[in-house]
Amino acid sequence: MPRLGRPRALLFDWHGTLADTFEAMYRAVDEMLPELGALGLQARLLPPGGARLPEHEALVAHVRANRGLPGEVKRARRMSRTEIFEILFGADAEAKHVAHEAFDRCYARHVGEVLPFEPGVRAMLGRLRAAGLRTGLLTNRRRALFSGELRRVDQGGWQDLFDVLVCGDDVPRRKPAPDMVLRALRELGLPAGPEVWFVGDSTTDAIAGNFSALEDLALPPLRRA
């Protein structure tokens, strides 16, 4: 791996990176998955043999049979809702959009306490800002839901720690599509490249932050929710 130079900006994921909202997230997924039939999504689950990995195949089969997540997935608390929907629906963008919209409705009923993912996160962000680095936050959350979480974490005071905030309903496609990264770059006035780092916790974030794949993409027009 080549040695990385000093970045000009750092973009962060929210859930599982800066903040811990696992409890509400899994409750919302548990409420949403039994609605797959009513949402027209049961028939759009990946067919048997369609998943990339054996563990993904097992997850799709379990959800198809039980309309819920396996207990071991919830106990591990490692998988985000975006990763779950990517596994369940693959390349079906319309199905994933419907799933995200249904999740957001459920999540609004369960969101509560928002905790920093680790002690010292707020201080770390402050030190980055003091060092002259630009910072951004990219989340698949709807802006209305995310704004409330940002106000509650650490009893407030995080709003001024970021130069740019991009939410799932600010762009046509959520992560792992590159739209949110491109939107953040445009607002920061920076090109994609090794001087912009994206810090996340999932393959979804890794795919969205693959700057080498983004360099030739045109920036989409700004869209406000």
Side-chain angles (χ1 to χ4, degrees):
M1 177 180 293
R3 183 179 178 83
L4 294 174
R6 175 185 168 90
R8 295 174 63 191
L10 288 95
L11 307 177
F12 291 91
D13 173 51
W14 177 240
H15 166 76
T17 301
L18 297 181
D20 180 352
T21 59
F22 279 102
E23 188 67 29
M25 188 207 77
Y26 280 116
R27 288 182 181 178
V29 172
D30 274 344
E31 182 180 328
M32 174 261 175
L33 288 179
E35 300 177 3
L36 287 177
L39 293 167
L41 296 178
Q42 181 71 18
R44 299 175 78 162
L45 293 168
L46 283 181
R52 293 187 297 111
L53 299 173
E55 55 266 35
H56 294 177
E57 190 73 35
L59 177 60
V60 177
H62 183 96
V63 170
R64 179 180 289 107
N66 300 284
R67 310 292 200 280
L69 294 174
E72 60 268 23
V73 170
K74 291 187 282 187
R75 287 191 295 272
R77 294 166 67 93
R78 294 175 182 167
M79 194 177 293
S80 72
R81 57 87 178 244
T82 300
E83 291 175 291
I84 292 167
F85 295 158
E86 290 293 320
I87 292 169
L88 296 180
F89 302 110
D92 190 339
E94 182 181 359
K96 288 183 286 190
H97 175 75
V98 172
H100 281 293
E101 292 291 306
F103 170 89
D104 285 342
R105 292 192 293 271
C106 296
Y107 186 78
R109 292 190 283 272
H110 294 283
V111 64
E113 185 178 21
V114 182
L115 302 171
F117 192 72
E118 295 178 331
V121 170
R122 180 175 178 173
M124 175 271 295
L125 292 169
R127 288 194 297 271
L128 293 175
R129 301 273 290 172
L133 298 176
R134 311 287 296 282
T135 56
L137 197 153
L138 314 183
T139 174
N140 278 348
R141 294 272 195 275
R142 294 182 67 85
R143 184 167 287 273
L145 293 172
F146 169 70
S147 295
E149 292 184 340
L150 191 63
R151 287 192 299 270
R152 283 195 294 275
V153 67
D154 269 348
Q155 291 77 54
W158 283 44
Q159 293 94 325
D160 296 329
L161 293 173
F162 303 100
D163 295 293
V164 60
L165 303 172
V166 183
C167 297
D169 53 346
D170 292 338
V171 294
R173 299 175 299 171
R174 290 175 165 89
K175 296 179 292 181
D179 302 35
M180 300 177 75
V181 176
L182 293 170
R183 167 69 175 262
L185 292 173
R186 177 162 183 168
E187 292 202 14
L188 290 171
L190 294 174
E195 292 182 330
V196 181
W197 299 2
F198 186 16
V199 183
D201 67 311
S202 68
T203 54
T204 296
D205 296 319
I207 294 169
N210 183 359
F211 292 125
S212 64
L214 302 182
E215 288 173 345
D216 296 328
L217 293 177
L219 294 174
L222 293 183
R223 166 181 155 190
R224 297 288 179 190

